[in-house]
Amino acid sequence: MIEVIKHFLIISIVICSINVKAYFAIKPGLPIPTWYKAKFSPIKTPEFGKKFRLKFELQNLLGDLQDIELKLLLPEGIKNLNNPLFNSKKVLRKADSHTWHWDLVVEREVLGKSIQLKVSSSFPREEITRFALGQYDKEPSHQKTQLINKIENIKERVDLHFQTTVYCSKIEGFPKVPDLIFKDNWKPNNFQSPLVMYQYKNPRLTQRDQILKQIKEFEDYYARISKNDSSINKFKALRPAAYLRMLEDNFYNYYALAIDYFKEKDYQNCDIWLQKLSLLILSQEDLNSELFLAIQNTRALCNVALKKFPEARKILKSSVQTEI
């Protein structure tokens, strides 16, 4: 009886082992060697109403490609100007490449539509098989056999499909520069447009030293009332409009000073004063987000002018994140 139980246990262990092994992942089959390279895209970003060139480059890596046929499919809104949508090439020799071009134009807004290309050609079976046997020489024989069978089952001609996505709108940025950007004496109510103000002048303060004096007086006063929480809270509660006006009047003094540096192409000092202003705005409970966006836009311009492109991107990113 004991021997029978032992025998039963041994058989059970073997069965369990077999079942466990069935759950292990099987090594994937060997991939077919890469036998071509291709690139399909516009040479430049398409612009509305303007001609742009589409390019398809095909490079042959292993064996001659015979009777290549191309068929280009365009979405609505994109027009072909000259080159035929159907094209062909008799043979593309090994290690050679060939480029096809199409001249197109965007006739209406195209947002995320795809231009598709179908490429048909012969399949260089013998060259691919020979290359595969050399490339996978040390792989297990059953893996190589599986790959060769896969290559053998591919048709004499193959279809390759490519696509490139086009985004093109009628207006890139402003159709014309808004007048308010170049207005000398402009101070909006509550700053409704988060644009870049290149110029801003206070008619009462025309000299830089006058503006600096006004800013110094504001900073001293603001530091004094901020020392006592009850004083500043009382000011905010009893005279909220006066408190807001005091802040915004001085905000524009900072901005006027910064723009003065901007016009002199002193972008370093312009950015410094704008940064001071942005920190002052962020310290307030009620964020003047529109003015803050305009400040950050102008700061980004300064950093682009200084060729500090990572800083410009960081500034724009922070302004978007702040404007929840």
Side-chain angles (χ1 to χ4, degrees):
M1 183 65 180
I2 294 175
E3 292 298 323
V4 172
I5 293 174
K6 285 183 179 179
H7 183 68
F8 175 78
L9 289 174
I10 291 172
I11 292 175
S12 300
I13 291 170
V14 171
I15 291 174
C16 288
S17 300
I18 293 172
N19 288 336
V20 169
K21 286 182 180 179
Y23 287 96
F24 285 113
I26 299 173
K27 185 177 180 181
L30 300 173
I32 296 175
T34 303
W35 48 281
Y36 71 91
K37 285 185 179 180
K39 184 177 181 182
F40 180 54
S41 65
I43 294 177
K44 292 184 177 180
T45 302
E47 296 182 55
F48 185 79
K50 295 183 180 180
K51 182 178 77 173
F52 72 96
R53 177 159 283 191
L54 185 68
K55 180 177 77 171
F56 175 66
E57 183 178 2
L58 180 64
Q59 183 180 359
N60 185 6
L61 301 180
L62 294 181
D64 293 350
L65 301 182
Q66 307 284 342
D67 300 320
I68 302 171
E69 297 178 350
L70 291 82
K71 181 181 179 181
L72 188 69
L73 299 174
L74 299 176
E76 292 185 5
I78 298 181
K79 179 182 177 181
N80 180 38
L81 293 178
N82 47 28
N83 300 53
L85 297 178
F86 295 89
N87 221 316
S88 63
K89 185 173 178 58
K90 192 65 179 175
V91 62
L92 183 61
R93 301 294 182 189
K94 176 184 176 181
D96 284 351
S97 63
H98 189 79
T99 302
W100 290 266
H101 293 97
W102 294 269
D103 290 325
L104 311 173
V105 64
V106 180
E107 294 185 310
R108 56 175 149 167
E109 285 191 325
V110 176
L111 302 176
K113 293 186 178 180
S114 295
I115 300 176
Q116 299 180 31
L117 179 66
K118 178 183 175 183
V119 181
S120 302
S121 77
S122 61
F123 183 69
R125 191 186 318 280
E126 292 183 8
E127 291 85 351
I128 291 176
T129 302
R130 187 161 50 248
F131 185 84
L133 290 173
Q135 182 179 7
Y136 300 121
D137 179 49
K138 296 182 180 180
E139 295 294 333
S141 58
H142 73 279
Q143 293 271 33
K144 289 189 288 185
T145 301
Q146 186 182 39
L147 174 61
I148 299 305
N149 290 336
K150 184 162 58 173
I151 295 173
E152 288 295 327
N153 288 330
I154 295 177
K155 296 179 180 179
E156 293 294 329
R157 289 185 64 79
V158 293
D159 293 335
L160 308 174
H161 296 272
F162 306 91
Q163 72 173 26
T164 183
T165 305
V166 176
Y167 291 86
C168 186
S169 59
K170 291 182 180 180
I171 298 173
E172 297 294 341
F174 297 115
K176 65 175 184 176
V177 178
D179 294 335
L180 62 90
I181 287 183
F182 292 105
K183 237 177 174 181
D184 288 344
N185 300 306
W186 177 72
K187 182 177 175 183
N189 294 324
N190 299 322
F191 207 90
Q192 293 301 313
S193 300
L195 303 172
V196 177
M197 290 196 307
Y198 286 107
Q199 299 187 51
Y200 171 72
K201 292 180 181 179
N202 186 331
R204 295 181 292 103
L205 302 173
T206 57
Q207 301 297 321
R208 185 180 294 174
D209 58 349
Q210 292 177 318
I211 301 174
L212 284 168
K213 181 181 178 183
Q214 190 82 13
I215 290 174
K216 181 68 167 56
E217 290 175 358
F218 161 72
E219 289 179 342
D220 290 344
Y221 173 73
Y222 189 74
R224 188 166 62 253
I225 64 172
S226 297
K227 286 181 180 178
N228 190 329
D229 288 342
S230 61
S231 297
I232 194 167
N233 290 336
K234 188 176 180 180
F235 189 1
K236 290 179 184 179
L238 297 179
R239 301 177 61 198
Y243 176 76
L244 184 61
R245 184 176 178 180
M246 175 202 69
L247 287 179
E248 292 203 344
D249 283 348
N250 285 282
F251 286 167
Y252 287 103
N253 286 335
Y254 280 82
Y255 203 98
L257 185 61
I259 295 305
D260 198 37
Y261 283 116
F262 188 94
K263 289 189 292 184
E264 293 178 359
K265 298 186 178 181
D266 186 350
Y267 303 115
Q268 185 71 40
N269 268 316
C270 178
D271 186 40
I272 289 172
W273 280 97
L274 290 175
Q275 187 177 21
K276 287 182 180 181
L277 178 53
S278 67
L279 292 174
L280 188 60
I281 292 174
L282 288 173
S283 68
Q284 305 306 310
E285 293 177 3
D286 297 323
L287 174 66
N288 188 332
S289 56
E290 305 291 347
L291 177 58
F292 180 74
L293 284 175
I295 292 167
Q296 296 299 82
N297 289 344
T298 313
R299 285 194 63 206
L301 277 181
C302 291
N303 281 272
V304 169
L306 294 168
K307 300 189 183 303
K308 296 181 178 180
F309 304 115
E311 289 85 348
R313 286 192 292 270
K314 182 179 178 181
I315 289 168
L316 290 175
K317 184 178 179 182
S318 69
S319 68
V320 173
Q321 289 177 337
T322 307
E323 172 63 355
I324 301 173

Short mmCIF file of all heavy atoms in Angstrom, two decimals, residues 190-191 244 247-248 251 277-293 295-296 318-324:
data_model
loop_
_atom_site.label_atom_id
_atom_site.label_comp_id
_atom_site.label_asym_id
_atom_site.label_seq_id
_atom_site.Cartn_x
_atom_site.Cartn_y
_atom_site.Cartn_z
N ASN A 190 -8.91 95.83 -15.86
CA ASN A 190 -8.76 94.43 -15.45
C ASN A 190 -7.96 93.58 -16.43
O ASN A 190 -7.95 92.36 -16.37
CB ASN A 190 -10.14 93.78 -15.24
CG ASN A 190 -10.91 94.49 -14.16
OD1 ASN A 190 -10.34 94.91 -13.16
ND2 ASN A 190 -12.21 94.63 -14.36
N PHE A 191 -7.32 94.24 -17.38
CA PHE A 191 -6.42 93.57 -18.32
C PHE A 191 -7.07 92.32 -18.94
O PHE A 191 -6.77 91.20 -18.60
CB PHE A 191 -5.12 93.15 -17.60
CG PHE A 191 -3.95 93.07 -18.55
CD1 PHE A 191 -3.16 94.17 -18.78
CD2 PHE A 191 -3.68 91.91 -19.23
CE1 PHE A 191 -2.12 94.11 -19.67
CE2 PHE A 191 -2.64 91.84 -20.13
CZ PHE A 191 -1.85 92.94 -20.35
N LEU A 244 -6.61 97.41 -4.41
CA LEU A 244 -6.35 96.84 -5.74
C LEU A 244 -5.76 97.89 -6.68
O LEU A 244 -4.83 97.61 -7.44
CB LEU A 244 -7.64 96.27 -6.32
CG LEU A 244 -7.52 95.55 -7.66
CD1 LEU A 244 -6.59 94.36 -7.55
CD2 LEU A 244 -8.89 95.11 -8.16
N LEU A 247 -2.10 98.52 -5.94
CA LEU A 247 -1.25 97.45 -6.48
C LEU A 247 -1.09 97.58 -7.99
O LEU A 247 0.03 97.58 -8.52
CB LEU A 247 -1.85 96.09 -6.14
CG LEU A 247 -1.75 95.60 -4.70
CD1 LEU A 247 -2.42 94.24 -4.57
CD2 LEU A 247 -0.31 95.51 -4.25
N GLU A 248 -2.21 97.72 -8.69
CA GLU A 248 -2.14 97.70 -10.15
C GLU A 248 -1.45 98.94 -10.72
O GLU A 248 -0.74 98.85 -11.72
CB GLU A 248 -3.54 97.54 -10.74
CG GLU A 248 -4.13 96.16 -10.44
CD GLU A 248 -5.21 95.75 -11.43
OE1 GLU A 248 -5.72 96.64 -12.15
OE2 GLU A 248 -5.53 94.56 -11.49
N PHE A 251 1.99 98.01 -10.38
CA PHE A 251 2.33 96.94 -11.32
C PHE A 251 2.74 97.53 -12.67
O PHE A 251 3.74 97.13 -13.28
CB PHE A 251 1.11 96.02 -11.55
CG PHE A 251 0.80 95.10 -10.40
CD1 PHE A 251 -0.40 94.41 -10.35
CD2 PHE A 251 1.71 94.92 -9.36
CE1 PHE A 251 -0.70 93.56 -9.30
CE2 PHE A 251 1.43 94.07 -8.30
CZ PHE A 251 0.22 93.39 -8.27
N LEU A 277 8.03 91.74 -11.07
CA LEU A 277 6.59 91.99 -11.15
C LEU A 277 5.80 90.69 -11.08
O LEU A 277 4.77 90.62 -10.40
CB LEU A 277 6.29 92.73 -12.44
CG LEU A 277 4.82 93.04 -12.74
CD1 LEU A 277 4.16 93.77 -11.57
CD2 LEU A 277 4.70 93.87 -14.01
N SER A 278 6.26 89.66 -11.75
CA SER A 278 5.53 88.39 -11.74
C SER A 278 5.51 87.79 -10.33
O SER A 278 4.48 87.25 -9.90
CB SER A 278 6.16 87.40 -12.73
OG SER A 278 7.45 87.02 -12.32
N LEU A 279 6.61 87.90 -9.60
CA LEU A 279 6.65 87.39 -8.23
C LEU A 279 5.70 88.19 -7.33
O LEU A 279 5.06 87.63 -6.43
CB LEU A 279 8.07 87.45 -7.68
CG LEU A 279 9.07 86.50 -8.34
CD1 LEU A 279 10.49 86.76 -7.82
CD2 LEU A 279 8.69 85.05 -8.08
N LEU A 280 5.61 89.50 -7.57
CA LEU A 280 4.71 90.34 -6.78
C LEU A 280 3.25 89.95 -7.04
O LEU A 280 2.44 89.87 -6.11
CB LEU A 280 4.94 91.81 -7.13
CG LEU A 280 4.24 92.85 -6.27
CD1 LEU A 280 4.67 92.74 -4.82
CD2 LEU A 280 4.52 94.24 -6.80
N ILE A 281 2.92 89.69 -8.29
CA ILE A 281 1.55 89.30 -8.63
C ILE A 281 1.21 87.94 -8.02
O ILE A 281 0.12 87.73 -7.48
CB ILE A 281 1.37 89.26 -10.16
CG1 ILE A 281 1.45 90.67 -10.73
CG2 ILE A 281 0.05 88.61 -10.55
CD1 ILE A 281 1.43 90.73 -12.24
N LEU A 282 2.16 87.01 -8.08
CA LEU A 282 1.92 85.67 -7.54
C LEU A 282 1.76 85.67 -6.03
O LEU A 282 1.18 84.75 -5.46
CB LEU A 282 3.06 84.72 -7.93
CG LEU A 282 3.11 84.32 -9.41
CD1 LEU A 282 4.38 83.54 -9.70
CD2 LEU A 282 1.89 83.48 -9.77
N SER A 283 2.27 86.71 -5.36
CA SER A 283 2.15 86.78 -3.90
C SER A 283 0.75 87.21 -3.47
O SER A 283 0.41 87.14 -2.29
CB SER A 283 3.18 87.76 -3.33
OG SER A 283 2.87 89.10 -3.72
N GLN A 284 -0.09 87.66 -4.42
CA GLN A 284 -1.43 88.13 -4.08
C GLN A 284 -2.41 86.96 -4.07
O GLN A 284 -2.26 85.99 -4.80
CB GLN A 284 -1.89 89.18 -5.09
CG GLN A 284 -0.94 90.36 -5.23
CD GLN A 284 -0.63 91.02 -3.89
OE1 GLN A 284 -1.53 91.33 -3.12
NE2 GLN A 284 0.66 91.20 -3.62
N GLU A 285 -3.42 87.10 -3.23
CA GLU A 285 -4.44 86.06 -3.13
C GLU A 285 -5.26 85.96 -4.41
O GLU A 285 -5.57 84.88 -4.91
CB GLU A 285 -5.36 86.34 -1.94
CG GLU A 285 -4.67 86.22 -0.58
CD GLU A 285 -5.60 86.57 0.56
OE1 GLU A 285 -6.78 86.85 0.29
OE2 GLU A 285 -5.15 86.58 1.71
N ASP A 286 -5.64 87.12 -4.95
CA ASP A 286 -6.41 87.16 -6.20
C ASP A 286 -5.43 87.40 -7.35
O ASP A 286 -5.00 88.53 -7.60
CB ASP A 286 -7.47 88.26 -6.15
CG ASP A 286 -8.50 88.00 -5.07
OD1 ASP A 286 -8.84 86.82 -4.87
OD2 ASP A 286 -8.92 88.97 -4.42
N LEU A 287 -5.09 86.32 -8.02
CA LEU A 287 -4.09 86.41 -9.07
C LEU A 287 -4.65 87.15 -10.28
O LEU A 287 -5.70 86.78 -10.82
CB LEU A 287 -3.67 84.99 -9.49
CG LEU A 287 -2.73 84.88 -10.70
CD1 LEU A 287 -1.38 85.48 -10.37
CD2 LEU A 287 -2.58 83.43 -11.14
N ASN A 288 -3.97 88.20 -10.71
CA ASN A 288 -4.31 88.87 -11.96
C ASN A 288 -3.70 88.03 -13.09
O ASN A 288 -2.64 88.33 -13.61
CB ASN A 288 -3.76 90.30 -11.97
CG ASN A 288 -4.26 91.11 -13.15
OD1 ASN A 288 -4.57 90.55 -14.20
ND2 ASN A 288 -4.31 92.42 -12.99
N SER A 289 -4.41 86.98 -13.44
CA SER A 289 -3.82 85.97 -14.32
C SER A 289 -3.58 86.51 -15.73
O SER A 289 -2.63 86.11 -16.39
CB SER A 289 -4.72 84.73 -14.37
OG SER A 289 -6.02 85.09 -14.76
N GLU A 290 -4.45 87.42 -16.20
CA GLU A 290 -4.29 87.96 -17.54
C GLU A 290 -3.00 88.78 -17.64
O GLU A 290 -2.23 88.66 -18.59
CB GLU A 290 -5.50 88.81 -17.92
CG GLU A 290 -6.83 88.09 -17.80
CD GLU A 290 -6.98 86.99 -18.85
OE1 GLU A 290 -6.17 86.97 -19.79
OE2 GLU A 290 -7.88 86.16 -18.71
N LEU A 291 -2.78 89.64 -16.65
CA LEU A 291 -1.55 90.42 -16.64
C LEU A 291 -0.34 89.51 -16.47
O LEU A 291 0.71 89.71 -17.10
CB LEU A 291 -1.60 91.45 -15.49
CG LEU A 291 -0.34 92.31 -15.31
CD1 LEU A 291 -0.02 93.07 -16.57
CD2 LEU A 291 -0.52 93.27 -14.14
N PHE A 292 -0.48 88.49 -15.64
CA PHE A 292 0.63 87.55 -15.43
C PHE A 292 1.01 86.85 -16.74
O PHE A 292 2.19 86.69 -17.04
CB PHE A 292 0.23 86.51 -14.37
CG PHE A 292 1.31 85.51 -14.08
CD1 PHE A 292 2.42 85.86 -13.34
CD2 PHE A 292 1.23 84.21 -14.56
CE1 PHE A 292 3.42 84.94 -13.06
CE2 PHE A 292 2.22 83.29 -14.31
CZ PHE A 292 3.32 83.65 -13.55
N LEU A 293 0.00 86.46 -17.53
CA LEU A 293 0.29 85.81 -18.81
C LEU A 293 1.04 86.75 -19.75
O LEU A 293 1.99 86.34 -20.43
CB LEU A 293 -1.01 85.34 -19.46
CG LEU A 293 -1.66 84.09 -18.88
CD1 LEU A 293 -2.99 83.83 -19.57
CD2 LEU A 293 -0.75 82.88 -19.04
N ILE A 295 2.96 89.22 -18.91
CA ILE A 295 4.33 89.37 -18.39
C ILE A 295 5.19 88.18 -18.80
O ILE A 295 6.32 88.33 -19.28
CB ILE A 295 4.30 89.51 -16.85
CG1 ILE A 295 3.65 90.84 -16.46
CG2 ILE A 295 5.71 89.41 -16.27
CD1 ILE A 295 3.31 90.92 -14.99
N GLN A 296 4.65 86.98 -18.64
CA GLN A 296 5.42 85.78 -18.97
C GLN A 296 5.69 85.71 -20.48
O GLN A 296 6.76 85.28 -20.90
CB GLN A 296 4.67 84.53 -18.51
CG GLN A 296 4.50 84.43 -17.00
CD GLN A 296 5.81 84.40 -16.25
OE1 GLN A 296 6.43 85.44 -16.00
NE2 GLN A 296 6.26 83.21 -15.89
N SER A 318 5.48 77.49 -17.23
CA SER A 318 5.03 77.85 -15.88
C SER A 318 3.81 78.78 -15.93
O SER A 318 2.92 78.69 -15.08
CB SER A 318 6.17 78.55 -15.13
OG SER A 318 6.44 79.84 -15.67
N SER A 319 3.75 79.64 -16.94
CA SER A 319 2.59 80.55 -17.02
C SER A 319 1.32 79.77 -17.34
O SER A 319 0.25 80.08 -16.83
CB SER A 319 2.83 81.61 -18.09
OG SER A 319 2.84 81.05 -19.39
N VAL A 320 1.44 78.75 -18.18
CA VAL A 320 0.27 77.94 -18.52
C VAL A 320 -0.19 77.13 -17.31
O VAL A 320 -1.37 77.01 -17.01
CB VAL A 320 0.57 77.01 -19.70
CG1 VAL A 320 -0.58 76.06 -19.94
CG2 VAL A 320 0.81 77.82 -20.95
N GLN A 321 0.78 76.59 -16.56
CA GLN A 321 0.43 75.80 -15.38
C GLN A 321 -0.20 76.67 -14.30
O GLN A 321 -1.09 76.22 -13.57
CB GLN A 321 1.68 75.12 -14.83
CG GLN A 321 2.17 73.98 -15.72
CD GLN A 321 3.46 73.36 -15.20
OE1 GLN A 321 4.20 74.01 -14.46
NE2 GLN A 321 3.72 72.14 -15.58
N THR A 322 0.24 77.94 -14.20
CA THR A 322 -0.32 78.82 -13.18
C THR A 322 -1.73 79.24 -13.55
O THR A 322 -2.60 79.40 -12.71
CB THR A 322 0.56 80.08 -13.04
OG1 THR A 322 1.90 79.66 -12.81
CG2 THR A 322 0.11 80.94 -11.88
N GLU A 323 -1.98 79.39 -14.86
CA GLU A 323 -3.31 79.82 -15.33
C GLU A 323 -4.22 78.61 -15.37
O GLU A 323 -4.55 78.07 -16.42
CB GLU A 323 -3.17 80.48 -16.71
CG GLU A 323 -4.48 80.80 -17.41
CD GLU A 323 -5.33 81.81 -16.66
OE1 GLU A 323 -4.98 82.21 -15.54
OE2 GLU A 323 -6.36 82.19 -17.19
N ILE A 324 -4.62 78.10 -14.21
CA ILE A 324 -5.48 76.92 -14.14
C ILE A 324 -6.88 77.29 -14.59
O ILE A 324 -7.54 76.54 -15.26
CB ILE A 324 -5.50 76.38 -12.70
CG1 ILE A 324 -4.09 76.01 -12.26
CG2 ILE A 324 -6.42 75.16 -12.60
CD1 ILE A 324 -3.99 75.62 -10.82
#
